[in-house]
Amino acid sequence: MSPRTAILSPNRDAYSETFIRAHIEHLPDVALVLTDGFLPRRRQDGSLLLPTDTLARLLRRVKGATVEGALRQALAHALRKAGAEVVLAEYGPTGMAALDTCKALGIPLVVHFHGVDAFHCKLLEEHGNYARLAREAAAVVVVSREMETHLLELGFPRERLHYNVYGVDVERFTPAAPDQAPPHFFGVGRFSDKKAPHLTLLAFARALERDPTMRLTIAGRGDLLEACRQLAGALGITHAVELPGVLAPEQVSEAMQRSRAFVQHSVITSDGDREGTPLAVLEAMSCGLPVIATRHAGIADVVAEDVNGLLGDERDLDAMAGHLVRLARDPAAAAAMGRSGRERALRDHDVRDRVGRLAAILERAASERTRG
């Protein structure tokens, strides 16, 4: 029988975190979802875990009371009330914040790393390289082989480390016909340093000089969005580039249906931040699109060179430009790579299978606690 699961996720309504929504929607017996901070402040419906007036009274009346301590007590109360038998902490710092509470209640803690939390230099320093999680978490989930290797180097035991890449809704992201689409390239994701949309624009500008029929759309928002709009203008390519902001999942799927290939120029940043395995890459594969990207983090785990996509080194703009031009001029190659990507998505990345594997990890953690 599936254990009653509590999911702790730090970001409220993060539009880009469809992988966490998949956990909430598809895991069996999710009894509680808490959000808004590594030490959560809110329930899934947005209501405060600890109402403001209650917190104020507590701080006035109890000597030495702190906001953090009050939130920990509220978290413990919510877990007990929900009858939680296992906790899934999304991101490493969430796991660190929940560790003492779970330990006190005797509830096994499963920590799901996603990308920045495993690599960012400042986060690793703040959390002591997650040494306590390595010792005390019941299980740890990673989404790329690079992340797996890195956490092993940090001291996480092999027997409690599980590689489980994200899944995609293969019934929503259905096969396109990239050979029938115009040479229109599509990308989607946060406009962040590690996704480097500015480098995609620079590579596209070089490709556009060789084939002026090409077009590029990059959907999403983030700190670099306005800078990218300014860059497109400075490069003189605004006639060929669209930056529409956030699109709903069905709009993303529709855009992929009209595209020749998916494109993303992910890089490791100066502070160590990097991807796990970008879900958008898997969605593109499910749509039967070839992927043009960099040999970065988990991308190389799921994109095979000249099989379901084309890869270049990070910051190699000429390589990416050449790959764009190649698929603009060879629709048959785009179709063949897209078919291979779809086959791989069906075989390895159906969301039901991947969440099922996560459910098995949670069930094992809960059952081992029961046996103990």
Side-chain angles (χ1 to χ4, degrees), residues 120-137:
H120 195 286
C121 298
K122 185 178 179 182
L123 282 177
L124 290 174
E125 182 179 352
E126 286 177 354
H127 297 289
N129 289 333
Y130 301 117
R132 286 196 62 202
L133 287 184
R135 294 193 304 268
E136 300 178 34

Side-chain angles (χ1 to χ4, degrees), residues 100-121:
D100 285 336
T101 302
C102 289
K103 188 175 181 180
L105 296 177
I107 301 174
L109 174 67
V110 176
V111 183
H112 200 308
F113 283 83
H114 294 286
V116 59
D117 50 338
F119 296 106
H120 195 286
C121 298

Side-chain angles (χ1 to χ4, degrees), residues 47 99 187 207 266:
S47 62
L99 187 56
S266 296

Side-chain angles (χ1 to χ4, degrees), residues 65-83:
T66 64
V67 173
E68 181 176 326
L71 284 173
R72 291 187 187 283
Q73 290 182 21
L75 171 61
H77 175 73
L79 292 174
R80 284 194 297 264
K81 184 176 180 180

